[in-house]
Structure formats: structure tokens, C-alpha cells
Amino acid sequence: MYLEQGVDVAVIGGGHAGCEAALAVARMGLSCIMFAVNLDSIAMMPCNPSIGGTSKGHLVREIDALGGEMGKNIDKTYIQSRMLNTGKGPAVHSLRAQADKFRYKETMKHTLEEQPGLKIRQSEVVDIDLKDGKVQGVITAAGAYYPCKAAVICTGTYLNSVCFHGDFQAKTGPNGMQSASGGLSEALMKKGLPLRRFKTGTPARVDGKTLDFSKMEEQKGDEHIVPFSFENRPEEILRPQRSCYLTYTNEKTHEIIRANLDRSPLFGGVIHGIGPRYCPSIEDKVVRFADKERHQLFLEPEGENTNEYYVQGMSSSLPEDVQRDMLRTIPGMEHVEIMRTGYAIEYDCVDPLELKHTLEIKRFDGLFSAGQFNGSSGYEEAAAQGLIAGINAALKIKGEEPLIIDRSQGYIGVLIDDLVIKGTNEPYRMMTSRAEYRLLLRQDNADLRLTPLGYRVGLIPEARYQALQEKIQQIEEETKRLAQVHVSIGANDLLRSLSSTELNSGTTLAELLKRPEVSYKALAPIDPERPSLPEDVTEQVEIQIRYAGYIEKQNAQVEKYKKLESRRIPENIKYEEIGNLRTEAVQKLSRIRPASVGQASRISGVSPADISVLIIWLEKNRH
Amino acid sequence: MELYDQDRTIAAIATAPGTGGIGIVRISGPKAVEIADAVFRKPSGKKLASAKTHTIHYGHVVDPASDAMIDQVLVMLMRAPHTYTGADTVEIQCHGGPFVEQKILETVVSAGAAPADRGEFSKQAFLNGKMDLSQAEAVMDLIAATSEMSRRASIEQLAGRLAQEIENQCSLLLDLTTLIEANIDYPEYDIEEVTYERLIREVSKVLEGLRELYRTSDSGIRMHQGVKTVILGRPNVGKSSLMNRILGKERAIVTDIAGTTRDVIEENVDLDGVPLRLIDTAGLRQTSDAVEKIGVDLARKAAEGADLVLWILDASVPEDLDSSAEAAEMLDFLKEKQYIILINKNDLTDARVRPAAIPAEAPLLWISARTGDGMQELSAKIREMFFRGAIQADSQPMITNVRQKDALRRALEALESALEAAKSNLPEDVIMIDLTNAYDALGEISGKTLKSDVIDEIFKRFCLGK
């Protein structure tokens, strides 16, 4: 073993979590080194070639609002952009972009390379040096010792990973990359950290030259695009877009799958890891939804300079020949050639109940973790955690208050709180249905919600923060103005043209804006005094006025939630000494150690009666 | 999750109903002293807030609005933690007689205390660490067992059917919200879309079911607590005899000297399966006797809060039936209420002439409290008036307590808001806010929350994901 130069923070892994963690640490002015088993795998997208989508798009906007990189990187490398759910309310509008995978990772790697204070190193970390439970340094497979004050584990699906399709098994990481099996898992377990095994999978990549798109339904990108990053304007990032294509499986496809189930490692019992319900393999779908006549497939381009297409909806670990045969039953894919076989992957990860909300591992001082190692799934979920773990590692070294985003502030808060308080038995995917205060956590207001926090920790530059302050002021002033501008029945011509009920007496512009069929833009003819404002300002004004009643309802819920969150539980509490708590509650509470009564109330296995007992005990001991 | 609010200050009559002598109204909780100070006046003008713990104070309970005296009382001040409940406790010892106790309780409640649920003092004591769970359960069992009503198997069955009915409505809501949420999270999948027509239809269906349930809540709560029934009539008309007939035992002092029953007597009884909370009162008659006058006023006031007034006339006293001035006054008093006119002592006369002063539409029955004649007709009449005809073991599910009623009310409000939103074509994710609120309010009755259920359902029902 030899000694290398020390750093403040070592980031273990260069995936989506590792990139955000490393950039955050370096941008907060600390020295950082990021390790990857292969530098070509930095920011690699080994599964779908897209960023965002429902709730995941929210995460990316939030990452950007806090000063993270993912939004900027996809804005530079997207090849199709769509806003989903536009037929529904603003809370669930979700941005999704198809990425040029190759340019995505190359661009991100270069951003990392250019970042002052950040070193990148191709090396596998195999051990973490702890003294009295506190991080001292990390040790690589080649025997280098890097002293550090904190470390962030972002090993994704690489730890002791095994890939499967049919009888074939290989001890590789995703996309044929080298697996991280040099001993980090064993070292962590030896130090007392319990690890477990999760499973996920990916479909085949096929040669676009062998596809007949005329038999499929084309899906184009949006004409008017919305950038992921609040710092970008649409016109600045416009570029030609590529299409995706929709097709369907049929009974023939299902027959082939059913006939070969015994050759699937999933059904044959070879894979023991727990797979996600929302990312079922096609064999899973056919078995669990036997009466469904067809399943949707999307053919998505993997990049600009490649013929590879990703077959979304056909994740599988069936043998190669079965994958080929089943794909060839699908309209437009009769002559398909597989370029990369679909596979299932199993890997080591931690039970996130071992973590604090800061993403620090409770039992190891200075050791943080993020991404799929924490039991989540998805690039966006990983990046969000990486950013928070990186920020908190840096804040800890600086001796500053940690950054914890709560459930009413962002999807990031919901994601982390769900992981560390509720835990998960499958790779955790973000969903809008997981957020209680969805109408407040819109993708359009992520900057209003989180940029002040990014500014506080030092990731948002002064100019961007000042611009936000100006935006907030403009929103307030315009909202106030609309409530004061009176409208007479002279507006009826306009209302008639909008198929809106005519007025009997005067009202205000704000009142008219509450009608679903009346938009801010449409009111321009009867609003001569209207100031010229940016679209992102008028969008906020419109949403805040239109949904004021429901926003109020959600604010009331948040108030209730915050009341319980603010009842702190002392860190040294001994649950076994509280009479009347049920044994299961004592066990769960002792393990998870919630910081507040609110957190405690979300733990499964802790009943309302237990919470009542806990509240009483806290009250008694406060005096 | 709706947590038990241990910050509640609760109050109840702590003495068994119907017993004379001394009555105790207990207030317990963080605001007990503050609330007591609002209704209690010491001659010295001093406040309980400045008094030492475990002390006894003489004074008056007054109506804080008018400062009118309600009763002379002794107040015991006991601060936490050395109290039965472990919370600050004030016990007001008043003159026995349920009406006075009831009036004091109402005053205390309007000053900010919540009426205690059955066994809630023990629950508070348990939560404050004053007793372990098994003790608390034993106390609650005891409280439950002493109540005739809750021993009735039918009540328990009603509660079970209530849970089932709530469950049914929740499951309709869950179907709808699962579909909405699956559409929101998976917009590109071929999941059936939720149209406004469908939303309106299904929310209306749930609303209808819950409104029906809500309509039963008054019957249900009465079923659980009894129809609060006041017996009014001139002295010696047979009020106490009727009460004893219903009770099946000698309770009130029965004499033939007018005005012997001065206290208000309250009993929970079961009249052929119809639960009554029976209040007997001093004779209702204009009188110069000052002491008795208070009793008469109290009786009138008692009648004001009653669900049912039984007005007794004496068949053996012809002028009783003819006294049209009194009848007019009474009928005027009763016109806003549910009442039955009972002509008692029909065993002493054969006359069955409807008194001229009583209009034809007024419900009227001939009874004999002494022989029991006409009692079945009476119970049938009350049943018809309050329980919509029948109380049977297999009758409808019912809401049986105020907390359930409140949760149901909030669910109804949320669903009405959802319906309104659907009709004005607001987006479904916004409507979901109301649907979630409705589901969670129902969950306070059934013990479920939507968030934890809906994601499981999405993946159980729909084939989604890459």
C-alpha cells in the first residue's frame, strides 16, 4: 500500500449519483476525488436513453434548482423533448427528453474534467479506512491509500454484480462493464453494515436498419420545448429532434415467452434478488397479466450517431435466441437484429433504513451513500441523492447545518424521506403519487422552492439568486395587480369568444383567470395596462391564481404535517425504557431513530397509539 | 394518519347518571384550569390559575355570556401529574341532579372543553403513563359494561356493519383514484382514461352512499346514547309513574302530593328495544314556590335540549283536558320539537275523547302508567319517529358516535368539492386532492390511508413499466 495525496471528499463511483456528488463538493470549494472502475462509464446510461418523465422530470428540475448538473447536461445532449401530461393539471406536467447517450456521458465527463478542485481516477475502491467509526481514507485495489474527511458511496449496480440471460451468467457490471467485486461489499459487511441484493433489468438494443418504422406509430418531440435547466431559454437549446416509435406485442410473442419460461433465470429461481414492480420484465408481464392481449413497446434511438434502438417495454432475461424470436413476432420487427442482448442484473446494496436524512450512514461518521446503492432505481433518483449526499458531506466538513429537504419542499424530500424512514423492499422509483403535496411541488416552480436553498449552501451563484428574487417580486406584483384591475360587462365580447359565461356585473381580472377556459394571454385585450413580463412569471401568476383554492388546501395539509415534523425526538432516546410502546414499535424506532414525531408516524409497524405514547413521553421529559 | 390529540381538554359528568345527591363534572387536560376559570366565580374574585394544587374552592358556576348563576359548587383543583388522568384536572361538585350536571357540562364545553368519549379519561390516564394498557382496558371494559346500551349485541353488529359500509365506499374511491393515478404516472400507456362523466358518476355514487350513512348518524348516535326524552306535565299527572313503568322499578318518589319530585332524574332505559335517555322533571306548573320555580324553569330548559318531549295529561281530571290556555302555551312551546301527547290514567275513566284543545295532527296516545296499558303503542310510536320504523339486528349500518360523524362530514365535504371540481372540468390531479382528503377522512373510521394503498393497487391492476 502507498500513500496518495489527501482530499476532503472521496466519491466512490462515477454514475449519475457520483457525478452530482463530486461536482457539488468541488463547487462548494472543497477538494474531491471521484473514482470509477472505468472512466468510460462516467454518467453512462446503461438502461433507457431518456432523462425525466413523470415525477423524474420533477427531480431533474429540482436538481437544477439546487445547482446540480443533470438538467444542464441533458439540455446540451437531448435529441427529443416532450412535456408529458399537458392535458392534466400543472402539478403533473412532466418533462422528458431522449438523450444522445454517448454525448450525454461524454459531455458530463468533460464537465467533471473542467471542474476545479475535482480529480477523476480510474480505480476500484475496495475498502474504507475507519477509526472509531469515523472515515479516515479509502483504499484502492491497486493499494493506494487516499486520506479523506468524508466519502460518498455511489456504486450503483456495480457491487458484486452478476448479469443473467437464460443460462448465461457473467460477473460483470451494467453494459458489460467490469463489476466492482474487489471486496468493498465484504469490507463494509465486516464493519457491520448489512447489505442485501436487489435485481433490475434492461431490454435488448436492436439495429435500426432492421426495423420497419412504417408499421409503427411515430412519436415526435414537442415543437415548443421547455429546457430542464432554469438557466436555459428554449431558443438557446433548440435543435433537430429524433422520433420514437410505438408498436405492440401480440399473442404469438406471448406464446414464445410462455413456452420458454423454464429457461428464464427469473422463473427458474437462479435470480434471488428482488426486482421492481414498476419495471417488470416482459416474462413477468405475460405471466402476471395473462389476459392482456398486447403490451406496448417503444423503440427509442440511443443517439445521433448510432443505429442502436432501445426496446422499451421488453426488459428480459430470457436466453438470446428466445429474445430474438419473440422480437421478430412484433410488427415492424420481423427482421430485427439484436445488437446487445437484454439482461437482468443483481447487485449489492444497503438497506436505506441505515441512513440519516443527510444520506450519511448512521453507524459510520463521515460515510455517505447515494443512488442505487441506497436501494433506489433510475438515473434521476440517483442524481438527486448524489447531489444531497455531496452537499451534506461538504457541509459536514465545513461545520455547517446539513441540508434536508422535507416532503413539502420537493420530490427530493419525498424520495429521501421514503427511503430512510419507510425503507423499500424493491428498487425504489419516484412516482407523483408518492408526493402528498403534489400541487405545491410542480416542475414549473422548482426554482421558487429550492434555489434559495442552493444559494445558501453555495451552489447557486449570486447573479442567479438575484434573478430569482426579481422573478418572485414580479410574480407578487402582477398577482396583486390582477386582483385590483376591475372588468366591466364590456368584457363580454371577449368572454363570448372564449365560450365563457358572460358577466352580469363587474369583476376583476383575477376572478376571470380562475375560469379554466380563460388564460392570462387571452385576457390581454381587456388589460391595457398590462406590463411586459417574461413567460415564466406570467405562468406562475396564472397557476397561483387559478388554483388558489386548492393550493390553500394543500398549504393547510402542510401546516399539519409540519406540526408533527417540528416535534423533535432527542437523539439519545432509549425506546425500550418507554413503557407502553409495543415491542415492534420499540424495535422499529430503535433501528430507524427518527428525528421527529412526524418521521416516526410514517414508519410502518408504528401505530397511532405508539405515537400517542411517544408524544406523552416526550412531553413528560421536556419538563 | 390521524393521531389521538392528547392536547385535548375533555369534560364529562363523572357521576353515574340518575343518581341524586352530589354530581361531579370533571374537566381534564392542558386547558382544564383555564376553562374552569372561565365558568367558575369565587366570592373573593380570585382565579383558580393562581391557586395551589389539590385545593378545594367554594363558588358559583355561571354562564360566562350572561354571568347568570347556574349552581353553587365546590371545585377541586388538581394539577398534573398527580391526578387520575395525569393531566390538569378540575372537578366541579354540584348539586346532584342530572339536569344541573348537564347544564354545567354544556357550559364547560362551550368554554372550550371537548365532550369526553366513553372511557376517554382512562385513555388520557393511559397515555399520560398513569396506568398500563391492561388496566386501562379493564377500566374501559367496566365503563362499557355498566352501560346497558353497549352491552347490546346489536350495537356491536351495527359497528361491524359500519366498518363494512365504509370499506365498500373506500374501495369504490380506491378504484377511481388508482385509475387516475396510473394515468398520471403512466401517461403513455394504454390505460383507460378517466372522463369527467365517469368521475362525476362515481363520485356521486360514493356521495350517495355516504349521505345515506350520514342520515343515519342521528339515529345511530341516539341508538348509542338513547333518545333524550323529557317527560313534562303538571304536577301529579303521573310523570314519575310513567318513568317507573318504563324503568320497570321504583325510582322516583311517587306520591299524590303535587310537586314532590323536585330533582331532575335521568336514566338510560330500553323501551322494547328503543333506547331512551329519560329525564323526569319537577312538575311543570306556574307556581309561587320559589324553590319549585327553579325546578320548573330547569324542566323547560331540559325540554329545550331534548330529542323528544312526552307531555302528559291526566284523563281523570277533566279540566286538565279542557285547559285550552295551557294547551295553547304548551303546543306553542312544542311546535319546534318532536313530541307525543300522552293521556294518562285511562284506567280511571272510559272516556276516549280527544281534548278539543289538541289539534288533530298532534300525536296522541292513551296510556295507563299504572297498568302498562298503551306502552307498546308508545314504543312503536317513538321507533317510528326516531329510528324510521324499525331497529332490528339486521338493520342498516349506522354511525354511532360524534367523532365518526365528524369524519364522515369531512369526507362528504371533500367529495362535494371533488364533484364541483369535476363539473367545472378542473384537472384530475387537482380533484385528487379532494379524493385523497375524502379517503383519509373515511380512513379515520376504517383505519386506512390512501397513499399506502394506491401505489400497491396501481401495480396490482395495471401492467406498467419499461
Side-chain angles (χ1 to χ4, degrees), chain A residues 194-206:
Chain A
L195 295 185
R196 55 181 175 173
R197 241 163 138 67
F198 270 4
K199 170 252 155 188
T200 185
T202 195
R205 306 311 128 88
V206 299

Side-chain angles (χ1 to χ4, degrees), chain A residues 390-454:
Chain A
I391 289 172
N392 281 319
L395 290 173
K396 182 172 175 130
I397 291 170
K398 291 178 163 192
E400 291 175 25
E401 278 290 295
L403 176 71
I404 293 168
I405 293 165
D406 74 32
R407 301 182 76 90
S408 69
Q409 289 175 308
Y411 276 77
I412 296 180
V414 176
L415 163 72
I416 293 176
D417 187 67
D418 275 354
L419 283 173
V420 310
I421 291 295
K422 295 180 185 167
T424 182
N425 290 320
E426 63 181 336
Y428 177 100
R429 179 203 198 271
M430 196 71 245
M431 293 173 72
T432 72
S433 355
R434 298 192 195 268
E436 293 87 347
Y437 317 114
R438 200 156 57 185
L439 188 55
L440 306 179
L441 308 185
R442 305 184 307 273
Q443 59 90 29
D444 59 70
N445 70 355
D447 56 339
L448 302 178
R449 293 184 275 120
L450 299 176
T451 297
L453 297 177

Side-chain angles (χ1 to χ4, degrees), chain B residues 182-419:
Chain B
N183 265 296
I184 290 172
D185 269 314
Y186 293 91
E188 293 179 307
Y189 282 76
D190 45 1
I191 308 164
E192 183 192 355
E193 295 234 359
V194 187
T195 59
Y196 285 115
E197 289 71 31
R198 177 164 177 184
L199 253 172
I200 291 168
R201 191 175 66 238
E202 303 204 352
V203 170
S204 304
K205 199 163 125 194
V206 176
L207 256 176
E208 203 178 305
L210 291 179
R211 280 199 189 117
E212 178 59 28
L213 196 56
Y214 193 72
R215 273 193 286 276
T216 68
S217 61
D218 286 340
S219 305
I221 291 167
R222 271 194 211 106
M223 180 76 182
H224 209 62
Q225 299 177 346
V227 177
K228 195 175 170 192
T229 305
V230 170
I231 303 175
L232 295 181
R234 301 199 315 163
N236 210 28
V237 76
K239 300 186 295 294
S240 298
S241 304
L242 175 64
M243 187 148 184
N244 290 340
R245 163 59 57 189
I246 296 172
L247 291 171
K249 59 186 177 192
E250 294 283 314
R251 265 294 282 100
I253 309 155
V254 185
T255 67
D256 52 5
I257 304 162
T260 29
T261 314
R262 290 233 172 104
D263 275 335
V264 178
I265 295 171
E266 185 177 315
E267 284 279 356
N268 276 321
V269 293
D270 184 323
L271 178 64
D272 289 345
V274 178
L276 301 181
R277 211 143 52 95
L278 205 54
I279 299 159
D280 186 15
T281 60
L284 187 65
R285 190 183 60 167
Q286 300 300 322
T287 167
S288 57
D289 180 340
V291 177
E292 190 172 271
K293 183 136 194 332
I294 293 171
V296 173
D297 286 346
L298 287 180
R300 275 186 177 270
K301 280 187 187 157
E304 274 164 20
D307 299 318
L308 172 67
V309 175
L310 298 178
W311 179 27
I312 308 192
L313 300 173
D314 189 340
S316 65
V317 183
E319 58 271 28
D320 218 42
L321 302 182
D322 296 339
S323 172
S324 53
E326 186 181 277
E329 192 189 334
M330 257 324 264
L331 286 166
D332 190 54
F333 172 65
L334 291 175
K335 79 179 173 231
E336 304 287 319
K337 318 196 138 306
Q338 298 266 44
Y339 67 94
I340 303 171
I341 298 168
L342 299 174
I343 301 189
N344 188 25
K345 306 188 187 175
N346 70 11
D347 51 318
L348 301 182
T349 166
D350 288 334
R352 287 289 186 276
V353 184
R354 197 178 173 95
I358 308 293
E361 70 275 10
L364 181 144
L365 296 171
W366 296 81
I367 62 163
S368 169
R370 190 182 318 175
T371 65
D373 189 30
M375 297 309 286
Q376 276 192 353
E377 288 81 353
L378 176 60
S379 66
K381 186 78 196 166
I382 298 175
R383 195 180 299 227
E384 182 193 311
M385 288 167 73
F386 288 90
F387 300 100
R388 300 201 274 160
I391 305 166
Q392 289 157 5
D394 58 350
S395 67
Q396 294 180 332
M398 281 181 178
I399 291 283
T400 55
N401 71 46
V402 179
R403 197 173 288 182
Q404 290 171 347
K405 185 177 175 180
D406 182 58
L408 188 56
R409 181 188 53 75
R410 281 182 283 123
L412 283 172
E413 278 174 11
L415 288 170
E416 276 155 11
S417 172
L419 196 60

Side-chain angles (χ1 to χ4, degrees), chain A residues 44-305:
Chain A
M44 183 173 72
M45 306 169 79
C47 197
N48 54 320
S50 64
I51 296 285
T54 53
S55 76
K56 289 162 172 272
H58 288 67
L59 286 174
V60 182
R61 297 281 274 171
E62 291 182 0
I63 290 167
D64 185 75
L66 285 168
E69 191 61 26
M70 184 173 247
K72 291 192 179 77
N73 203 56
I74 182 64
D75 280 351
K76 289 176 197 162
T77 58
Y78 79 96
I79 53 175
Q80 188 199 82
S81 173
R82 289 183 68 197
M83 186 66 86
L84 306 176
N85 269 338
T86 47
K88 304 186 177 86
V92 296
H93 291 185
S94 296
L95 195 51
R96 189 190 59 199
Q98 299 301 132
D100 181 322
K101 272 189 178 183
F102 304 94
R103 283 186 42 231
Y104 184 91
K105 66 174 193 167
E106 186 184 288
T107 307
M108 181 65 91
K109 176 162 171 272
H110 194 55
T111 302
L112 294 163
E113 288 167 348
E114 290 290 307
Q115 176 61 48
L118 174 58
K119 286 194 270 191
I120 299 169
R121 194 78 173 82
Q122 177 161 307
S123 228
E124 184 183 342
V125 171
V126 293
D127 202 357
I128 290 160
D129 183 32
L130 297 170
K131 199 171 135 194
D132 303 326
K134 199 172 170 344
V135 172
Q136 308 293 316
V138 298
I139 299 156
T140 68
Y145 183 98
Y146 290 82
C148 61
K149 295 173 188 152
V152 188
I153 302 177
C154 306
T155 49
T157 60
Y158 284 80
L159 266 191
N160 282 342
S161 53
V162 181
C163 291
F164 303 83
H165 47 86
D167 298 334
F168 174 84
Q169 267 192 43
K171 291 195 171 174
T172 58
N175 201 16
M177 288 286 164
Q178 182 191 330
S179 151
S181 46
L184 184 58
S185 283
E186 292 72 14
L188 288 170
M189 283 193 274
K190 223 170 118 187
K191 295 180 206 304
L193 188 67
L195 295 185
R196 55 181 175 173
R197 241 163 138 67
F198 270 4
K199 170 252 155 188
T200 185
T202 195
R205 306 311 128 88
V206 299
D207 182 350
K209 294 198 307 298
T210 63
L211 297 174
D212 180 358
F213 293 122
S214 68
K215 293 185 179 165
M216 306 180 190
E217 208 176 294
E218 184 176 2
Q219 279 200 324
K220 293 188 172 186
D222 289 346
E223 263 179 56
H224 301 285
I225 65 154
V226 178
F228 270 104
S229 174
F230 287 95
E231 289 191 54
N232 290 331
R233 305 254 150 231
E235 58 279 10
E236 295 164 357
I237 64 160
L238 267 184
R239 74 176 66 98
Q241 299 190 46
R242 295 277 302 266
S243 293
C244 297
Y245 297 88
L246 169 64
T247 181
Y248 296 91
T249 63
N250 52 51
E251 197 39 53
K252 259 194 217 146
T253 326
H254 303 171
E255 251 168 52
I256 292 176
I257 292 165
R258 278 192 292 266
N260 288 286
L261 276 181
D262 57 326
R263 296 178 64 195
S264 159
L266 280 176
F267 287 84
V270 181
I271 292 179
H272 302 291
I274 305 157
R277 283 174 299 176
Y278 48 80
C279 193
S281 61
I282 187 68
E283 44 270 37
D284 242 346
K285 294 182 187 180
V286 168
V287 171
R288 286 184 46 218
F289 297 92
D291 54 342
K292 211 163 149 54
E293 287 164 14
R294 61 178 200 176
H295 294 276
Q296 280 174 317
L297 298 182
F298 292 94
L299 275 300
E300 305 178 8
E302 294 242 308
E304 210 106 70
N305 289 316

